[in-house]
Amino acid sequence: MTIKKTPKLLLRGFVAGEFGKNNIVTLKDFDGVVQDVSSYTTKQVISRSDDGRKTITSTATYVTDGSDGQVQWSYGSGDPLDRAGLWEGQVVLTKSGGELRSYVFNMEVDKEI
């Protein structure tokens, strides 16, 4: 059996050094159907630099109530994306008796001047 790899989603619009901007993703299944994740109580987004030297765990929230699959997060002034490159991200949602992890997505982080 061969496992077919799905290309990673690429998020753009990130700049090294920025913080406080809300970033939003919508969790969907392979058919494009939005997932109701409202029952998950702990919400995080994990970001890792392309060189693997920095990992940021951000607290996430629902944009509305989670029934629309939308999760948002931002980076704080004390822990921003601190270098340009192709970072990886993953949404992690937990509840009593369960954990949901999104597929890993890429985040294109541009340099600051």
Side-chain angles (χ1 to χ4, degrees):
M1 181 167 105
T2 303
I3 297 175
K4 183 179 178 184
K5 286 193 137 190
T6 304
K8 289 183 185 176
L9 174 68
L10 176 62
L11 302 181
R12 292 189 164 130
F14 299 92
V15 177
E18 71 179 358
F19 59 90
K21 178 180 79 178
N22 279 341
N23 307 291
I24 300 172
V25 294
T26 302
L27 302 172
K28 299 179 181 181
D29 67 13
F30 285 120
D31 295 323
V33 177
V34 169
Q35 299 299 290
D36 180 354
V37 294
S38 60
S39 64
Y40 291 87
T41 54
T42 303
K43 302 160 284 291
Q44 297 179 315
V45 174
I46 300 170
S47 307
R48 184 174 51 206
S49 63
D50 59 352
D51 61 10
R53 294 186 303 152
K54 181 157 187 178
T55 300
I56 303 169
T57 301
S58 303
T59 300
T61 60
Y62 294 132
V63 175
T64 58
D65 63 359
S67 63
D68 58 2
Q70 291 191 321
V71 177
Q72 66 183 348
W73 77 100
S74 63
Y75 298 101
S77 62
D79 211 4
L81 300 169
D82 65 351
R83 64 197 76 168
L86 194 61
W87 288 59
E88 291 182 319
Q90 185 174 46
V91 176
V92 180
L93 306 176
T94 57
K95 64 180 177 181
S96 178
E99 180 174 272
L100 179 147
R101 288 181 177 259
S102 71
Y103 278 104
V104 175
F105 52 87
N106 286 328
M107 300 183 302
E108 184 180 77
V109 180
D110 201 2
K111 65 182 179 179
E112 63 179 320
I113 51 174

